[in-house]
Amino acid sequence: MTEVFSESIPESQAPFLQLTDVSRVYGEEVKVFAMRNVSLSIMPGDFMAIVGPSGSGKSTMLGLLGCLDLPTSGSIKIAGEEITTLDDPSRTRLRGRTIGFVFQQFHLIAHLSALGNVETALLYRGLKPAERREKAMDALERVGLGPRHDHRPVQLSGGEQQRVAIARSLVTDPIIVLADEPTGALDSTNAENVMQIFESLRSSERAVVLVTHDQGVAGRADRKVSMRDGEIVADEYKVLS
Amino acid sequence: MISRNTRDLMSVAFGGLFARKVRTILLLMGPVIGVAAIVAAVGLTDSAKGDLKAKVAQLGTNLIEAKAASSFGSQNPTLPIDAVRRAEQVKTVEKVASVVQLTDIIVSPYPQAKAKYETTPIPVVATDTRLPYVLEVPLTSGRWINASDNENAVRAVVIGSGLANELGYLPGESRTIDLADKPYGVIGVLGKVELDPSLDNAAFISFASADADFIKEDVLPTKLYVRSTAGTEQVTSDALRTAISLGGPKEVATEIKAEALQLAAQSDRQLQLIVASMGLLAIIVGGIGIANVMSISVMQRSTEIGIRRALGHTRRTIAQQFLLEAMVVGFIGGILGVLLGAFAILVGVWLSGWVFVLQTWIPPAGVVLAIVVSIIAGLYPARRAAKLEPLETLRLG
């Protein structure tokens, strides 16, 4: 398997997430385009990386893809649903249903155990405590942390914390797992371990999106979207040879 | 049945409080001290008069005395002959007994003592069969004058507790005393009459005996003892004056017997108010403390809030989480405050020999006050928490 990319697009399907002519402008008087007329479709089964140097619009892209921010203009559809016209509570619930987040700094809640952190993603969904616990345990076992479910973040290594965060992102069964520099705070061994977990998440049921400036991480993806100055400059698929 | 989402909310709020114990203890201080101060202020000032309050409760405040007033300078004013029936016409009157103070009767336990009792006469009271029932004072020994005694003008006498003491009367003893040289058999001793101590030294005989032995004309009552229904003593007292005199020449004066005692039993309202206001101030300052500590906490927990928002928790849920934390602080602080306040009353009572009094409405009111103040204090931090943008708190990219 060599790293060759082509611009061919696989068979057409309904995209999980679709950006159409999206711009994001900051500032009132002096307008700064953080993103300009970007269109992007994230397809089921995608294992993609969004790459670019700092200031390229990656973070803006992450906020928009994660439904944490709204575009100044353009349309964003998640699972066919237009999010720009949704009210805040509906958008929040849609985010909770469809997107799982993994952050560079892990962002676990310090006073909760690993299990409690994973369970946090399942709150306010009408689940029985036992059901919630079972789902959370399953997710932790999936990242190999079942036996350490009662450990608090300070009792876990960075790699373990990130695996808890991955379990938390998976436990809601999202269609998109959105990871922001997931290996950025890890040593190479832990980074490799985390990348292997991400690779194991490839599924036609979901899309995995890694936002990174690390070409090594990007190279592991099947699809690479490159950004520069708020625009997509390349969108390539890895071709197996 | 609480919904699962509410239960989720409660587990998050309790978890948050339990995880930060020192902060939670700091939050609790305000409501605890404030409620304790208010409870102790009201309880201690009440307890200081606790023995008198208990006495008022035991004796009742509804005993009214209606007596003939001396108008037009008449020497021995009397009430109308049917005064009891007239008094009973007043709707709020429960029971009535009439008495006649007899004058110029020398009571002597034995003939040789007559000279002494001429100078310190024992009052003789002619009365009906209902007097102990109306006074609500039981006999300490023997029995009261009954209907048969009255019909047959039996020379039977009941003596007051003070008189029994003075005469060295033993319970059940067969004793004859002279009333104006007429031998009367002692049949019983009336208990201590707290609301009218003048009766303690009296000798009681039936109207018929008074009629037969001492009074030549009609026996007219000079005084009525009346029990009104509880709480109506003032209106009853006013109504009695008119009801008994009925516009006739006989004037009536009334007196609520427990009035002075009641006044003495009243708590020091001003002191109570001052100390309770200080407690209220403490709760308010505590509330400001809650608002302050929680606001800082919201800033410290901004990342946690951002994560929760990213995970799909709505702004409303975040606000509710903080409000619920404040409410739990108020609830627990209120309960601890009531306990601490009650303990302070106990210590005060123990040191001063008072009687423990804590009105039943105060503990729940204290807890409710603490909860209300805490919720109000939690509004601002909750609002701030809900306003946080996940994108700003999570430092992406």
Side-chain angles (χ1 to χ4, degrees):
Chain A
M1 196 167 88
T2 55
E3 291 178 20
V4 181
F5 291 90
S6 84
E7 298 213 4
S8 67
I9 291 175
E11 71 276 20
S12 67
Q13 269 175 299
F16 275 156
L17 196 151
Q18 190 168 32
L19 272 62
T20 312
D21 279 336
V22 168
S23 295
R24 181 68 174 94
V25 181
Y26 293 103
E28 294 282 309
E29 291 179 8
V30 182
K31 292 193 187 326
V32 179
F33 278 82
M35 236 164 83
R36 192 192 294 269
N37 297 328
V38 166
S39 296
L40 178 70
S41 293
I42 296 175
M43 308 303 292
D46 265 354
F47 185 62
M48 74 186 278
I50 295 176
V51 294
S54 58
S56 62
K58 279 199 320 276
S59 306
T60 306
M61 180 66 105
L62 183 71
L64 292 170
L65 293 180
C67 202
L68 295 168
D69 194 12
L70 286 174
T72 313
S73 66
S75 145
I76 299 177
K77 284 182 179 167
I78 296 179
E81 192 163 2
E82 179 62 52
I83 67 153
T84 53
T85 53
L86 285 179
D87 61 11
D88 190 79
S90 309
R91 203 164 58 241
T92 302
R93 279 189 283 269
L94 178 69
R95 175 167 67 231
R97 271 205 314 277
T98 56
I99 297 168
F101 288 94
V102 177
F103 304 101
Q104 179 174 7
Q105 299 299 334
F106 326 135
H107 285 333
L108 298 178
I109 296 172
H111 70 261
L112 296 178
S113 66
L115 186 67
N117 269 286
V118 178
E119 282 190 68
T120 299
L122 293 174
L123 289 171
Y124 314 122
R125 288 165 193 251
L127 290 176
K128 288 184 195 156
E131 258 178 286
R132 189 168 67 214
R133 204 183 153 82
E134 199 187 319
K135 276 174 182 267
M137 272 309 288
D138 286 349
L140 275 176
E141 268 154 24
R142 196 159 164 191
V143 297
L145 285 174
R148 309 201 62 185
H149 65 91
D150 57 343
H151 288 223
R152 296 202 299 145
V154 286
Q155 296 166 303
L156 299 170
S157 73
E160 287 166 333
Q161 289 187 55
Q162 195 61 304
R163 277 147 67 193
V164 173
I166 295 171
R168 181 179 65 188
S169 76
L170 292 175
V171 75
T172 54
D173 241 337
I175 54 173
I176 296 164
V177 174
L178 195 56
D180 172 31
E181 300 282 11
T183 59
L186 301 177
D187 61 53
S188 56
T189 316
N190 278 313
E192 177 53 33
N193 186 310
V194 163
M195 279 314 295
Q196 281 173 9
I197 293 174
F198 275 115
E199 282 174 336
S200 75
L201 297 181
R202 276 197 188 91
S203 155
S204 59
E205 306 290 302
R206 70 171 79 84
V208 177
V209 180
L210 310 172
V211 178
T212 182
H213 68 273
D214 185 334
Q215 290 296 338
V217 169
R220 306 276 286 262
D222 302 334
R223 179 182 173 192
K224 189 164 87 175
V225 173
S226 305
M227 293 192 70
R228 186 177 297 273
D229 297 332
E231 290 178 13
I232 291 176
V233 292
D235 185 355
E236 307 153 298
Y237 282 82
K238 187 187 282 181
V239 177
L240 299 178
S241 59
Chain B
M1 191 62 196
I2 53 171
S3 76
R4 287 189 187 144
N5 282 359
T6 310
R7 197 168 47 192
D8 287 359
L9 204 57
M10 279 166 63
S11 75
V12 170
F14 276 100
L17 287 172
F18 195 71
R20 301 173 186 80
K21 294 184 187 65
V22 175
R23 188 185 67 103
T24 304
I25 288 167
L26 284 176
L27 287 175
L28 283 171
M29 295 293 255
V32 169
I33 293 171
V35 170
I38 291 177
V39 169
V42 179
L44 281 172
T45 42
D46 280 351
S47 297
K49 299 289 178 69
D51 49 344
L52 292 177
K53 282 180 197 295
K55 200 173 222 177
V56 169
Q58 181 209 330
L59 299 176
T61 57
N62 57 341
L63 183 68
I64 302 165
E65 180 187 293
K67 65 179 172 192
S70 55
S71 60
F72 311 116
S74 74
Q75 281 294 313
N76 294 310
T78 56
L79 295 171
I81 182 101
D82 58 348
V84 169
R85 206 177 49 77
R86 291 185 184 191
E88 280 168 347
Q89 298 304 309
V90 177
K91 268 188 181 167
T92 50
V93 165
E94 277 187 344
K95 44 197 179 186
V96 186
S98 59
V99 298
V100 183
Q101 299 271 2
L102 300 176
T103 47
D104 305 325
I105 298 173
I106 311 298
V107 179
S108 176
Y110 49 97
Q112 290 83 351
K114 202 174 165 185
K116 182 201 168 209
Y117 285 99
E118 258 175 75
T119 50
T120 53
I122 294 164
V124 176
V125 175
T127 181
D128 53 37
T129 55
R130 289 180 304 248
L131 186 63
Y133 165 68
V134 174
L135 293 175
E136 292 173 4
V137 174
L139 276 77
T140 52
S141 78
R143 64 168 177 84
W144 188 249
I145 299 155
N146 62 23
S148 161
D149 296 334
N150 195 36
E151 275 162 30
N152 303 313
V154 174
R155 284 180 174 164
V157 62
V158 174
I159 55 179
S161 60
L163 185 56
N165 225 4
E166 187 182 334
L167 299 184
Y169 180 79
L170 303 170
E173 184 192 344
S174 175
R175 176 86 77 103
T176 305
I177 59 174
D178 293 342
L179 272 68
D181 297 326
K182 296 188 173 67
Y184 271 71
V186 177
I187 57 167
V189 177
L190 184 64
K192 208 162 145 49
V193 185
E194 303 262 8
L195 287 172
D196 195 347
S198 72
L199 295 178
D200 289 342
N201 290 310
F204 303 92
I205 61 172
S206 68
F207 280 129
S209 303
D211 195 31
D213 284 345
F214 308 114
I215 297 178
K216 300 297 161 262
E217 58 276 30
D218 277 346
V219 182
L220 295 177
T222 55
K223 195 195 274 186
L224 300 187
Y225 288 100
V226 179
R227 284 278 181 185
S228 70
T229 49
T232 65
E233 45 269 16
Q234 197 57 56
V235 285
T236 309
S237 160
D238 294 343
L240 278 173
R241 284 198 292 275
T242 321
I244 296 170
S245 75
L246 284 175
K250 289 171 187 282
E251 297 239 341
V252 181
T254 53
E255 183 190 345
I256 299 166
K257 299 303 280 184
E259 211 162 28
L261 181 62
Q262 237 183 321
L263 225 61
Q266 240 164 43
S267 303
D268 190 334
R269 291 282 162 215
Q270 272 156 334
L271 184 66
Q272 210 166 46
L273 204 65
I274 292 168
V275 190
S277 335
M278 280 161 64
L280 192 65
L281 206 66
I283 288 195
I284 292 170
V285 172
I288 296 170
I290 290 177
N292 196 4
V293 173
M294 284 193 81
S295 293
I296 295 169
S297 167
V298 165
M299 284 187 270
Q300 285 171 343
R301 293 165 75 180
S302 62
T303 308
E304 175 190 332
I305 295 163
I307 296 163
R308 290 181 186 277
R309 296 276 289 117
L311 294 177
H313 300 187
T314 56
R315 290 184 198 280
R316 175 198 282 264
T317 307
I318 300 288
Q320 283 171 342
Q321 175 194 331
F322 279 88
L323 273 183
L324 196 62
E325 281 191 20
M327 204 174 112
V328 169
V329 164
F331 180 68
I332 295 175
I335 286 176
L336 291 178
V338 167
L339 292 178
L340 186 64
F343 179 72
I345 300 172
L346 275 177
V347 170
V349 163
W350 179 68
L351 289 176
S352 318
W354 295 336
V355 175
F356 184 93
V357 177
L358 183 56
Q359 298 172 65
T360 47
W361 62 272
I362 290 177
V367 175
V368 168
L369 180 67
I371 291 176
V372 168
V373 169
S374 302
I375 288 180
I376 293 173
L379 281 175
Y380 172 69
R383 217 175 117 80
R384 280 190 61 163
K387 276 185 158 180
L388 284 177
E389 286 292 342
L391 207 53
E392 284 160 23
T393 63
L394 291 177
R395 288 174 286 115
L396 302 178

